[in-house]
């Protein structure tokens, strides 16, 4: 599939779950191949994945999506090292290699919402440990707080508290 896509010399390659169902070794090979092709051809690349670990080494920027909206975006190291949205923190805490040996993984409670009947306010509020009343009524804008690295933004009313907690 990758060979067929590259044969057309695209300016932009969109990889939707490019490593799903592959074992870890082949995943690494595929990601290295994509990185080499990108460097060689200069094409843009958008990778869509549920596995943050897979893209950590090859992506420049990350956009974390929940219920159809971007809830956090930034340079990949800023997002991974300083997650500023509770959903991003939950995703990172669910990766086994991020958790010390002997410690339990911390799952995100609850289930994803019905996209046809989203919760009011912040869509993540029924699952969020930081939720307050304003979260139930008002959709948080994607904002870049003063003092943050340029381009690192989160859609959360309580980003500053979340960041200090993480
Ligand atoms: S806006 Fe509120 S509910 Fe939404 S992620 Fe932030 S703290 Fe949680």
């Amino acid at each position: 599939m990758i060979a067929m896509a590259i044969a057309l010399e695209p300016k932009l390659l969109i990889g939707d779950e490019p490593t799903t169902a592959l074992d870890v070794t082949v995943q690494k090979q595929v990601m290295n191949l994509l990185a080499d092709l990108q460097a060689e051809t200069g094409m843009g690349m958008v990778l869509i994945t549920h596995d943050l670990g897979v893209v950590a080494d090859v992506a420049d920027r990350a956009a974390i999506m929940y219920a159809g909206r971007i809830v956090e975006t930034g340079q990949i190291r800023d997002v991974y090292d300083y997650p500023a949205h509770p959903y991003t923190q939950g995703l990172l805490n669910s990766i086994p290699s991020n958790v010390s040996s002997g410690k339990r993984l911390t799952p995100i409670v609850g289930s994803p919402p019905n996209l046809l009947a989203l919760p009011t306010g912040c869509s993540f509020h029924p699952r969020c440990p930081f939720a307050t009343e304003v979260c139930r009524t008002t959709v948080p804008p994607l904002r870049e707080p003063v003092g943050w690295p340029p381009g690192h933004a989160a859609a959360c009313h309580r980003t500053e508290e979340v960041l200090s907690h993480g």
Side-chain angles (χ1 to χ4, degrees):
M1 289 300 290
I2 292 171
M4 284 167 64
I6 298 302
L8 299 172
E9 299 183 6
K11 286 194 168 48
L12 174 69
L13 181 72
I14 300 176
D16 191 356
E17 301 284 2
T19 61
T20 297
L22 301 178
D23 67 50
V24 176
T25 310
V26 182
Q27 270 185 8
K28 185 78 181 158
Q29 290 171 344
V30 168
M31 295 315 296
N32 288 345
L33 172 65
L34 288 173
D36 289 347
L37 286 169
Q38 195 278 328
E40 216 171 276
T41 64
M43 68 181 173
M45 205 158 68
V46 175
L47 301 175
I48 301 165
T49 181
H50 66 282
D51 187 342
L52 294 181
V54 164
V55 293
D57 295 331
V58 297
D60 297 317
R61 294 186 60 83
I64 309 297
M65 297 194 70
Y66 184 79
R69 284 190 72 209
I70 292 177
V71 294
E72 182 164 359
T73 183
Q75 296 292 325
I76 200 139
R77 283 276 52 104
D78 293 332
V79 171
Y80 281 38
D81 292 346
Y82 304 101
H85 192 280
Y87 182 57
T88 312
Q89 288 188 353
L91 291 176
L92 292 170
N93 289 338
S94 307
I95 299 175
S97 58
N98 280 357
V99 177
S100 310
S101 173
K103 283 198 167 175
R104 296 178 77 85
L105 292 174
T106 312
I108 300 171
V109 298
S111 306
N114 176 352
L115 295 180
L116 298 177
L118 289 175
T120 56
C122 173
S123 297
F124 191 58
H125 85 252
R127 310 176 72 186
C128 181
F130 293 88
T132 60
E133 194 48 40
V134 67
C135 304
R136 295 180 187 92
T137 58
T138 309
V139 177
L142 189 63
R143 64 189 173 93
E144 189 179 312
V146 177
W148 279 24
H152 189 185
C156 175
H157 294 301
R158 304 192 64 203
T159 292
E160 287 77 4
E161 294 100 312
V162 173
L163 194 55
S164 62
H165 182 267

